[in-house]
Amino acid sequence: MDARAIIAGLRKGQVPSDAALEWFAQGLASGAVTDAQAGAFAMAVCLQGLGEEGRIGLTRAMRDSGDVLKWDMPGPVLDKHSTGGVGDCVSLVLAPALAACGVYVPMVSGRGLGHTGGTLDKMEAIPGVGTSVTEARLREITASVGCAIVSATGRIAPADKRLYAIRDVTGTVESVDLITASILSKKLAAGLEGLVLDVKCGSGAFMKTAAEAQALAEALVSAANGAGCPTAAFITDMDEPLAPSLGNAVEVAASMEVLSGNRLAAPRLHDLTVALGGRLLALAGHVEGEGEEMISAAISDGRAIEHFARMVAELGGPPDMADDWRTHLPAAPVVGDVMAPEGGYLAAIDGEALGLAVVDLGGGRRVETDRIDPAVGLTDVISLGSEVTKGQPLATIHARDEASAEAAAKAVLAALTIGDAAPEAMPLIRARVG
Ligand code: URA
């Protein structure tokens, strides 16, 4: 095999064989493929596309470039992946709820990307929690608690780690083929028996249009199923934040409210968690509708929060998170409301701008080496379509200092459009694939 021949073939529109893709992925992991070759490969895929067979081949090849976990558990091994949005803390509620239903969830997660928050950053907002664990520890926690939200070890899909960094600096991130193989290689390396994908669509998502979200959802579902993992996707609305809180500790707080049975604290977060969990349990063999009831019951009877607290304790956090979470979460010193400058209806929310306001408060990263401030963020963001009166709070800012609070207030006002009428309400689940 020869990287030059693979790249030249791709340039002319020839999809590499499975064996060639496997060789290339192994070369990415070992260093035998150079940065220049990896960049040219990514650009050729961006321009020519791989088609369904090639996408499946690249997904499998990148998955197999490192360790692929194998499980022998008394229940199904399942997971969820979201393409990223704002106020999206489903993982924190869903993983323990599934565990309470007898599912095993080795949830290998990511950090914040661009304007979107990262599950690992949220988990690490809980004092003492560390999500970098060995594979042995991931196995132990998954077996004993039922769920473990952790970061990928260097041995999970190393080809993706290298290719992703090269795509980032070669203008080749936006390819459905490369995004599909990248996301799935890491998820499928966890040895899953079922996966549900939450493809976000709207102002706070990477995919702004329904057509883009549909294309990505279809590619992900066909590649995951083709690679042997039963998978379905929802395309879900991200024209407003999923929870009314954006940031790290504040999203943990929203998740703890929902896990405490307080659905009204974040109804969209609760309802999407139940729907995604229900779909996963259906993939694992439960009859339609049964899974949703199981997830709802696990939340309302306290089993889900108890599993969450046990996972937190195993990851180094406080032992009494279920009871005393309010005292454990860090609080920002400056807290203040943003007031409506006029009356009307909340006609539009620029979710990306809200997410970037949180990044600027210190709640996310501009560059990889930035340190996150876990306490800052926004809470009580009013929902799309709400009627507002002049002077009414639109959101609450949690900041490290007055200057960053003032800048955030301006950014929040710029991100919210008050108009004469409420927009047409979008369903939370816009479409289903698979
Ligand atoms: N997330 C990933 O893991 N990979 C991509 O390519 C895009 C988003």
Side-chain angles (χ1 to χ4, degrees), residues 71-378:
W71 299 91
D72 182 15
M73 304 307 256
V77 179
L78 308 174
D79 197 3
K80 182 250 6 166
H81 177 80
S82 156
T83 57
V86 289
D88 176 6
C89 34
V90 165
S91 296
L92 273 52
V93 185
L94 182 57
L98 285 166
C101 296
V103 172
Y104 292 87
V105 192
M107 192 176 261
V108 176
S109 301
R111 298 202 177 270
L113 186 70
H115 64 280
T116 68
T119 300
L120 298 178
D121 299 324
K122 293 170 202 175
M123 285 298 294
E124 290 177 4
I126 303 169
V129 166
T131 57
S132 277
V133 298
T134 61
E135 186 191 317
R137 212 42 207 125
L138 163 63
R139 286 183 174 286
E140 261 172 38
I141 301 173
T142 305
S144 65
V145 180
C147 60
I149 297 179
V150 299
S151 58
T153 68
R155 294 159 62 95
I156 293 277
D160 176 62
K161 196 162 191 222
R162 178 127 185 270
L163 190 60
Y164 192 87
I166 291 167
R167 286 166 59 207
D168 203 21
V169 294
T170 54
T172 53
V173 170
E174 290 93 352
S175 146
V176 165
D177 298 325
L178 294 176
I179 293 173
T180 297
S182 170
I183 289 174
L184 292 178
S185 60
K186 291 177 289 240
K187 280 284 159 186
L188 302 190
L192 304 179
E193 293 157 9
L195 174 65
V196 69
L197 296 156
D198 180 7
V199 178
K200 301 282 184 198
C201 176
S203 72
F206 290 107
M207 301 291 153
K208 307 283 187 224
T209 69
E212 286 172 331
Q214 183 78 25
L216 181 59
E218 284 174 7
L220 284 163
V221 168
S222 83
N225 281 302
C229 179
T231 298
F234 289 170
I235 297 172
T236 69
D237 180 59
M238 197 25 82
D239 272 344
E240 65 178 307
L242 189 65
S245 300
L246 285 71
N248 294 290
V250 295
E251 286 190 47
V252 176
S255 306
M256 296 308 290
E257 288 286 357
V258 169
L259 282 166
S260 304
N262 182 5
R263 172 183 173 273
L264 289 181
R268 286 159 61 85
L269 168 63
H270 173 276
D271 295 354
L272 185 56
T273 302
V274 169
L276 288 164
R279 189 69 192 88
L280 258 182
L281 289 170
L283 284 174
H286 289 274
V287 296
E288 291 293 329
E290 189 180 37
E292 286 83 347
E293 278 175 26
M294 289 167 68
I295 299 287
S296 287
I299 293 172
S300 57
D301 66 17
R303 281 176 295 133
I305 198 168
E306 187 251 326
H307 280 77
F308 185 81
R310 280 169 51 204
M311 172 178 64
V312 164
E314 291 287 344
L315 291 170
D320 55 352
M321 191 66 186
D323 306 315
D324 276 346
W325 56 270
R326 286 187 184 82
T327 60
H328 292 304
L329 291 175
V334 178
V335 178
D337 290 339
V338 184
M339 308 299 188
E342 59 189 324
Y345 291 86
L346 188 61
I349 299 178
D350 181 338
E352 182 166 347
L354 276 190
L356 289 174
V358 174
V359 173
D360 285 343
L361 280 166
R365 296 180 189 81
R366 286 279 179 192
V367 292
E368 213 182 327
T369 47
D370 281 350
R371 278 177 67 88
I372 294 240
D373 184 340
V376 300
L378 307 174

